[in-house]
Amino acid sequence: KRNHENWPAVVSQDVQRHVYNLKSSVFVVAGQVKGKTLLPLPVGAESFTDNDEEKAEKYLRNSIHQIEGVIIGWSHQIHDVLKRKSAQPLLEGLNPEPW
């Protein structure tokens, strides 16, 4: 935030949103490369610990919309995984290994 404090708030928020979306996409793709389904955390979730209840409560109050958006994204990811046929890699001639 410090390097763009002179920017208009709308521009700053838009850049932050794009950076978060890119970070989340890279996180998900990295999981897919490893053969795992990884669900990205909402913006700022990594900045507080379980024992910091006051900060966690403030974060949750201010981030309901972001959390809802992430959960919707998670549900789409989970749906995509569940609709895959487990035999498909075998039918394609691949030799999948157990996780």
Side-chain angles (χ1 to χ4, degrees), residues 19-29 31-32 37-46 59 66-67 69-75 77-78:
V19 168
Y20 168 74
N21 288 339
L22 176 63
K23 181 180 170 185
S24 295
S25 296
V26 169
F27 184 74
V28 169
V29 169
Q32 290 172 341
T37 300
L38 300 179
L39 305 174
L41 294 173
V43 175
E46 65 279 350
Y59 165 77
Q66 289 176 344
I67 293 170
V70 169
I71 290 173
I72 290 169
W74 289 351
S75 66
Q77 271 187 271
I78 292 168

Side-chain angles (χ1 to χ4, degrees), residues 13-23:
Q13 291 170 353
D14 190 49
V15 169
Q16 288 176 351
R17 184 177 51 82
H18 284 293
V19 168
Y20 168 74
N21 288 339
L22 176 63
K23 181 180 170 185

Side-chain angles (χ1 to χ4, degrees), residues 46-83:
E46 65 279 350
S47 67
F48 63 86
T49 60
D50 291 336
N51 59 0
D52 192 352
E53 291 181 31
E54 184 177 318
K55 191 173 183 181
E57 186 177 327
K58 181 180 178 187
Y59 165 77
L60 290 175
R61 277 196 315 267
N62 295 331
S63 304
I64 296 298
H65 178 71
Q66 289 176 344
I67 293 170
E68 289 172 346
V70 169
I71 290 173
I72 290 169
W74 289 351
S75 66
H76 289 295
Q77 271 187 271
I78 292 168
H79 177 74
D80 291 344
V81 169
L82 293 177
K83 74 178 184 179

